[in-house]
Amino acid sequence: PRGWARTFPNLMTQEAVRGAEQYWDPEFSAHAHTLHTIYVFTRNVVGSMDYTPVILGLAPEAEMHQTSNAHELATAVAFESGIQHFADSVSAYRCQPDYVQSYLKAVPAAWDETRYLSGTPGDYVLLARRSGNCWFISCLNGQEKARSIPGWFAFLGAGEFSGEFIVDGKTQRKTDQRQFRLTSRDTIDLEMRGRGGFCGRIKPAAH
């Protein structure tokens, strides 16, 4: 869909991708974590992509996905769509911790700025997207082995910031929360599970 949104500004989104509804396919599910890191550099570069992200795995069919819940939460920001359709059931979201529900409520449908921070298609991707004065961070691990990726925050500019991150927990279906005080000079290493990820919000710190 390259250029279509420019020609037709009323075009909000379109699928044109194998999305989360394909988790029922064992072949897709086995490679989805890697495909996610490729979509960011390919399909989603040229137009809004209705992937239907954030399958957290309450319904039996949702358990077919092999990505971690933190990885799934990170797709809400990694994938851009003019209308973002979170795909799981209401009950699947309501049973999540308060910090997860708060994060999903805060994710906007439109972005003021996007920064590529690091990554390689098929390996991992680390992005930052800004809405107003709040930055949303998304990192997807495209590999089956656990790893840590250093987060660089030079893009933040001057001042002190507060960061709230959702990271992989003890199992693929568990998440934890990490809170930090940050400046543009800081780096943070966050551990990801195989097929995992992390996401978060960074805002100017209250004094």
Side-chain angles (χ1 to χ4, degrees):
R2 181 175 57 201
W4 288 13
R6 186 182 183 90
T7 305
F8 306 105
N10 57 310
L11 176 63
M12 299 298 292
T13 191
Q14 57 186 325
E15 194 167 10
V17 69
R18 290 196 77 188
E21 76 280 359
Q22 298 293 328
Y23 279 146
W24 64 267
D25 179 352
E27 182 71 14
F28 179 84
S29 181
H31 298 97
H33 58 291
T34 302
L35 290 170
H36 291 167
T37 68
I38 296 173
Y39 287 164
V40 171
F41 292 97
T42 54
R43 164 63 184 90
N44 208 190
V45 167
V46 297
S48 288
M49 180 181 76
D50 187 21
Y51 180 88
T52 57
V54 193
I55 300 288
L56 298 181
L58 187 65
E61 60 272 16
E63 288 295 344
M64 296 176 183
H65 76 93
Q66 299 178 33
T67 51
S68 73
N69 277 12
H71 180 112
E72 288 291 317
L73 290 166
T75 62
V77 171
F79 299 157
E80 182 274 326
S81 179
I83 301 175
Q84 191 70 286
H85 294 104
F86 295 161
D88 215 328
S89 65
V90 172
S91 55
Y93 297 128
R94 284 181 174 165
C95 73
Q96 297 300 314
D98 289 344
Y99 61 83
V100 170
Q101 296 185 49
S102 175
Y103 177 79
L104 289 176
K105 288 177 183 177
V107 172
W111 302 103
D112 298 319
E113 184 178 0
T114 297
R115 296 285 187 97
Y116 161 79
L117 302 181
S118 63
T120 305
D123 187 19
Y124 79 95
V125 61
L126 177 61
L127 290 179
R129 299 191 193 270
R130 181 178 61 82
S131 176
N133 67 351
C134 183
W135 285 94
F136 288 74
I137 309 298
S138 174
C139 191
L140 304 174
N141 183 7
Q143 298 298 310
E144 296 184 18
K145 62 179 184 292
R147 67 204 300 187
S148 63
I149 300 296
W152 299 84
F153 302 103
F155 63 90
L156 290 174
E160 188 177 34
F161 298 83
S162 61
E164 296 180 356
F165 289 81
I166 300 172
V167 301
D168 286 320
K170 293 181 178 180
T171 70
Q172 292 289 82
R173 296 294 169 263
K174 297 291 185 181
T175 60
D176 288 324
Q177 186 183 42
R178 300 282 186 270
Q179 296 180 321
F180 305 96
R181 286 279 179 150
L182 300 167
T183 72
S184 61
R185 300 182 299 276
D186 293 325
T187 62
I188 295 175
D189 287 343
L190 293 174
E191 184 74 19
M192 296 185 290
R193 299 176 62 86
R195 299 185 172 96
F198 63 81
C199 55
R201 288 182 287 173
I202 301 175
K203 299 183 290 186
H207 295 286

